Amino acid sequence: MKGKFFILAWRNIWRKKIRSFLTMLLIGLFLTIVIFFLQMQKWTWMNQIDTSLSGYVGYIQITDTAFVKEKSMDNMFSLDKINLEELRSIEGVRGVYPRIQSGVLASVGIRSKSAGVLGINPSDDNDLMKLEQKLSEGELLDNDDDQILITNQMAKFYKVKVGDSLILFGSGYQGYTAAGNYRIKGIVRIPAGDMSNMVYMSMKEAQHIFAANGMVTAVLVNIEEGADLYKITDEVKSKITDKSLIARNWEEVMPELKSGMELDTVSNQMMTGILLLIVCFGIFGTIVMTYSERLFEFGILLSIGMSKRMIMLVTVAEIYFLMLLGVFLGCLIVTPILYSIHNNPIQLTGNAAETMIEYGIDPIMSVGLYPSEYINSSMIIIIITFIMSLYVIFKIRKLTPLDAMKKH
Amino acid sequence: MKISGIITLMLLGVFGMSFLFPVNEERTPQSEDLKEIIRKAENRMEGESSIASMKITIVRPKYTRDMTLKAWTKGDDYSLMYIMTPSRDQGTTYLKRSKEIWYYLPSVERNIKMPPSMMSQSWMGTDMSNDDLVKRTSMANDFTHKLLGSETIDGHDCHKIQLIPKESADVIWGKIEIWVDKKLYNIMKQKSYDEDMELVNTMNASNVKMMGGEEIPTKMEIVPADKPNQKTVMTYLSIQFNVDIPDHYFTTQYMTKVKP
């Protein structure tokens, strides 16, 4: 007898096929929309974080402890202090990239202006920073290059083209003068932002001009998509034995990016909240119907000796079945949509795309396939249904056969 | 008769008072005198022209770096400096021409003009900015002065004077305190404060010696307030005052071929 209520509940659902189906559809569509938006939002953020972090900041950044406070050339550190191979071998680490970043005075003739300098390992970084896609003239650097890449904004300011040269002048490690005359090998299209005023050179040449052999300003550690940032941060920290160094994840390096992301999440939560309200009424309507429609039936069941507990169980089980079927339906609808967009991102065109390119973001729109978003949205539905089903439980508790069977 | 009587009485009164409250033998300088003292102090190190060689030591928490250079100065507006050591930087030449700063870099054989946006940057890695060297404010004319007392700095009896910029003056400081030697008029110490009256840096002068015919402090250190264990020390190795320096020394053409 104990397991029978399952069968009863299941049969009850199909007594009103259309209504049950509509409830399921309501829950399903709600979930589809919410999961879709959450996945899109998360993907957008992850993509933005990836473009802004992986190339220049790194998911995890290893620097000298003094560099945290003062980003000066004097606070560089020697690469001997860390084992790059060991860092690369950590599970979930996509790549490890040493960097020299500094500022100089860049000058052509009487035109001079301050500019950033980025020392990179072209063999790894050309891919990472998608320099090939951004290259508009000339060629990319190689690891032993003594030439430089500049941005189109700089080329415009100095009125130079590939083959011309640029004088860089600044201070190097420990106050040495850093000066050099460099031939422009290529021009990359980065029309706005901090990165639009940047000179790219090979690590070897950067160490030479800044009189800093074997030294770097930072080592960036990038993680694979979906990998656990905190776990890998701890692991990287444990691998750094030198006391003068510090490893920080991007949330510590760029708290403003983190808070921007949180703000965006809040606005999305509000939208989810409104959708939720609609679904609440839908579910509640179904629950009220299942109860009032069967009031007479409940009266008879009670009279012939069915316990109130049993009636409650059957009704609540019925509601849960409906809800779970709805959740299942929702996931079933959204997954193929997500999957197809995830594998074939939508290419954006027009002004929006232009703006995105300017900010260094690929002009594509896509969605993620994060299990967390599925679980979170489904959990919301489950919790709401649980709260709503309390209504039925209270109503049935107070039920008397006479009242129930009274014709209204 | 009546009026002259009152005047006589008043004169007598004043005379009498001076017996009761005798004026101190060592008279404290009044506002006008202060201005004169500061004018003299300012003119001390900036004679008509000079040729100096000096050593600059940059002290940083992790390292200390020395450089030696030779400097030609004419009036307030013109100076030319040529770096002798370290060898990596040898030949780097710096020219100040009124408000402009030019560099000549032997490694690239080019002149570079410092753009206005970079004037607040450190000058050759020291604790001074390019602006510090170019900005000419007159301590005598752009500030109001107040005597704060006497103090002995490095064995020299000094006036301690507070300078508050006048409303109209183009000064970045909120206030300056200077210690001026009472006899030699050398500035022995200077503390500069920003608009919030926070100490920005301190200049300490010492080693007053006869050099180039004048008794001047030959060592000066600049200590930034917010950076511990960091300072810049400038030591004069030799200096000649009032030397005739041709005007063409202070041109971008000449700086490419300076012979120290």
Side-chain angles (χ1 to χ4, degrees):
Chain A
M1 184 61 204
K2 282 273 174 221
K4 287 274 163 59
F5 72 91
F6 272 123
I7 300 163
L8 279 175
W10 182 253
R11 282 181 185 161
N12 273 343
I13 293 175
W14 304 112
R15 276 165 59 185
K16 293 273 182 190
K17 286 196 185 69
I18 296 194
R19 202 196 53 222
S20 299
F21 188 69
L22 281 178
T23 311
M24 270 157 47
L25 208 64
L26 177 81
I27 297 173
L29 284 179
F30 161 76
L31 257 190
T32 307
I33 295 168
V34 169
I35 292 178
F36 186 82
F37 274 108
L38 289 178
Q39 295 282 20
M40 190 163 81
Q41 186 206 24
K42 189 147 184 184
W43 180 88
T44 310
W45 267 107
M46 288 302 172
N47 185 44
Q48 203 161 331
I49 285 169
D50 196 67
T51 25
S52 52
L53 288 184
S54 61
Y56 305 97
V57 181
Y59 282 84
I60 301 163
Q61 198 181 71
I62 304 166
T63 57
D64 192 281
T65 45
F67 191 82
V68 177
K69 256 184 149 178
E70 196 185 358
K71 289 179 177 46
S72 121
M73 292 303 277
D74 292 347
N75 296 327
M76 293 175 93
F77 68 93
S78 168
L79 265 186
D80 302 341
K81 288 183 180 173
I82 54 173
N83 185 343
L84 294 182
E85 283 314 310
E86 200 181 33
L87 292 175
R88 275 194 192 103
S89 67
I90 295 174
E91 206 186 313
V93 168
R94 178 163 43 135
V96 177
Y97 309 89
R99 284 291 151 78
I100 286 184
Q101 191 165 0
S102 183
V104 292
L105 177 67
S107 147
V108 175
I110 56 157
R111 291 174 175 273
S112 47
K113 193 169 82 152
S114 59
V117 170
L118 199 64
I120 57 173
N121 282 322
S123 56
D124 295 333
D125 285 313
N126 284 352
D127 276 351
L128 180 72
M129 296 197 241
K130 302 186 179 111
L131 290 180
E132 194 150 1
Q133 296 165 27
K134 292 172 183 160
L135 189 75
S136 65
E137 271 178 67
E139 288 169 59
L140 292 178
L141 300 176
D142 55 58
N143 277 1
D144 291 322
D145 230 313
D146 56 1
Q147 304 178 60
I148 54 170
L149 290 188
I150 63 167
T151 64
N152 54 335
Q153 289 294 318
M154 295 179 76
K156 210 168 109 190
F157 177 81
Y158 295 111
K159 298 193 170 74
V160 289
K161 52 188 189 306
V162 172
D164 292 346
S165 52
L166 195 66
I167 293 166
L168 304 181
F169 169 47
S171 54
Y173 184 57
Q174 300 201 336
Y176 278 101
T177 305
N181 192 0
Y182 289 97
R183 187 179 174 274
I184 297 162
K185 193 177 186 186
I187 293 170
V188 284
R189 224 172 78 92
I190 304 176
D194 288 348
M195 297 307 148
S196 67
N197 192 25
M198 187 72 85
V199 172
Y200 297 80
M201 59 169 72
S202 70
M203 187 54 101
K204 199 180 134 199
E205 196 52 43
Q207 289 176 339
H208 175 72
I209 183 177
F210 292 120
N213 267 335
M215 308 195 86
V216 294
T217 49
V219 169
L220 314 184
V221 179
N222 285 339
I223 61 173
E224 275 160 13
E225 195 183 322
D228 186 345
L229 177 69
Y230 305 106
K231 202 180 126 219
I232 297 175
T233 311
D234 286 341
E235 220 165 317
V236 170
K237 278 179 178 159
S238 72
K239 293 270 197 288
I240 293 168
T241 45
D242 198 296
K243 284 275 176 290
S244 66
L245 302 181
I246 185 170
R248 294 177 301 155
N249 61 39
W250 69 267
E251 294 178 359
E252 297 167 90
V253 179
M254 300 179 79
E256 65 281 1
L257 188 65
K258 168 92 175 155
S259 52
M261 188 174 161
E262 272 158 7
L263 199 72
D264 200 60
T265 311
V266 169
S267 71
N268 245 47
Q269 272 168 357
M270 280 170 70
M271 196 200 72
T272 317
I274 293 166
L275 281 174
L276 205 64
L277 214 64
I278 299 167
V279 168
C280 274
F281 284 121
I283 297 176
F284 192 62
T286 313
I287 288 174
V288 171
M289 288 296 269
T290 41
Y291 168 77
S292 53
E293 202 175 61
R294 278 187 223 139
L295 204 56
F296 189 75
E297 189 183 317
F298 287 155
I300 292 171
L301 288 173
L302 275 176
S303 326
I304 61 172
M306 194 168 178
S307 70
K308 275 188 180 174
R309 229 180 104 244
M310 197 64 180
I311 295 175
M312 277 180 208
L313 276 175
V314 171
T315 323
V316 170
E318 184 189 333
I319 294 165
Y320 279 1
F321 269 140
L322 262 180
M323 180 266 297
L324 286 175
L325 281 171
V327 168
F328 183 70
L329 187 72
C331 296
L332 211 66
I333 299 172
V334 81
T335 307
I337 302 175
L338 288 177
Y339 200 76
S340 71
I341 298 180
H342 184 77
N343 288 330
N344 309 294
I346 302 160
Q347 285 288 336
L348 299 178
T349 49
N351 283 341
E354 287 294 315
T355 318
M356 285 173 84
I357 294 170
E358 285 189 9
Y359 285 98
I361 304 167
D362 289 335
I364 55 168
M365 202 66 226
S366 186
V367 292
L369 288 167
Y370 302 98
S372 61
E373 302 306 311
Y374 278 100
I375 295 167
N376 289 346
S377 324
S378 306
M379 278 313 283
I380 294 172
I381 302 271
I382 292 171
I383 291 165
I384 292 173
T385 318
F386 175 75
I387 297 166
M388 295 288 180
S389 64
L390 292 178
Y391 171 83
V392 184
I393 293 175
F394 281 117
K395 279 285 187 186
I396 295 177
R397 253 173 74 106
K398 284 204 212 145
L399 204 67
T400 57
L402 217 62
D403 280 337
M405 286 187 288
K406 202 182 268 170
K407 294 270 182 212
H408 294 288
Chain B
M1 176 65 194
K2 258 185 184 170
I3 293 170
S4 63
I6 292 166
I7 291 172
T8 322
L9 216 79
M10 276 171 72
L11 282 172
L12 273 172
V14 173
F15 195 60
M17 296 267 272
S18 67
F19 277 109
L20 290 172
F21 310 99
V23 175
N24 202 326
E25 197 69 67
E26 196 187 347
R27 202 174 59 91
T28 51
Q30 297 304 303
S31 181
E32 268 311 300
D33 300 333
L34 278 180
K35 196 168 173 178
E36 198 47 43
I37 289 170
I38 291 163
R39 201 188 304 281
K40 278 182 184 164
E42 272 194 302
N43 289 338
R44 265 314 266 177
M45 297 301 282
E46 294 159 5
E48 268 304 291
S49 59
S50 66
I51 300 177
S53 56
M54 59 171 113
K55 186 173 95 171
I56 295 182
T57 307
I58 300 165
V59 180
R60 292 287 175 270
K62 288 182 188 165
Y63 65 95
T64 302
R65 185 168 169 265
D66 283 329
M67 56 182 183
T68 52
L69 49 88
K70 194 165 180 188
W72 294 259
T73 313
K74 194 167 189 175
D76 279 354
D77 282 344
Y78 297 99
S79 63
L80 182 74
M81 292 186 202
Y82 179 93
I83 297 189
M84 320 268 284
T85 64
S87 52
R88 195 183 194 269
D89 295 344
Q90 193 191 359
T92 303
T93 310
Y94 155 95
L95 169 69
K96 184 189 98 171
R97 209 168 52 178
S98 55
K99 298 219 171 205
E100 289 176 6
I101 286 183
W102 287 82
Y103 283 92
Y104 172 72
L105 304 167
S107 54
V108 297
E109 299 176 343
R110 291 287 200 291
N111 287 328
I112 294 174
K113 183 175 180 265
M114 180 79 18
S117 58
M118 283 184 83
M119 290 303 274
S120 58
Q121 301 280 313
S122 152
W123 175 72
M124 299 213 192
T126 65
D127 290 302
M128 287 169 285
S129 71
N130 290 303
D131 257 336
D132 289 344
L133 298 159
V134 175
K135 271 246 156 112
R136 299 296 337 165
T137 48
S138 160
M139 284 196 193
N141 297 327
D142 291 342
F143 292 85
T144 55
H145 316 109
K146 190 181 159 197
L147 188 72
L148 295 180
S150 294
E151 265 174 45
T152 304
I153 306 285
D154 198 44
H156 295 264
D157 196 15
C158 297
H159 292 300
K160 184 182 177 185
I161 303 166
Q162 176 184 274
L163 290 83
I164 305 279
K166 289 178 183 166
E167 289 285 325
S168 56
D170 177 24
V171 176
I172 55 167
W173 307 114
K175 86 172 175 191
I176 297 177
E177 286 169 1
I178 56 170
W179 284 255
V180 182
D181 190 322
K182 286 182 181 172
K183 291 195 190 75
L184 299 168
Y185 297 105
N186 289 321
I187 297 175
M188 297 304 289
K189 189 173 177 179
Q190 176 172 339
K191 280 183 152 185
S192 308
Y193 297 80
D194 66 10
E195 281 100 336
D196 302 322
M197 298 301 161
E198 297 257 0
L199 183 64
V200 176
N201 63 41
T202 309
M203 188 278 291
N204 297 310
S206 57
N207 282 8
V208 175
K209 273 197 288 202
M210 250 337 223
M211 197 178 267
E214 302 270 358
E215 243 182 304
I216 52 163
T218 55
K219 187 178 164 194
M220 279 183 272
E221 59 174 36
I222 290 165
V223 187
D226 57 341
K227 289 166 189 152
N229 310 322
Q230 186 163 324
K231 64 180 177 181
T232 301
V233 184
M234 287 178 289
T235 318
Y236 281 99
L237 304 173
S238 71
I239 190 162
Q240 288 169 266
F241 287 108
N242 300 322
V243 195
D244 189 31
I245 304 169
D247 281 345
H248 79 262
Y249 266 51
F250 305 103
T251 57
T252 49
Q253 289 80 22
Y254 182 76
M255 68 189 294
T256 62
K257 47 193 181 232
V258 176
K259 303 232 167 36

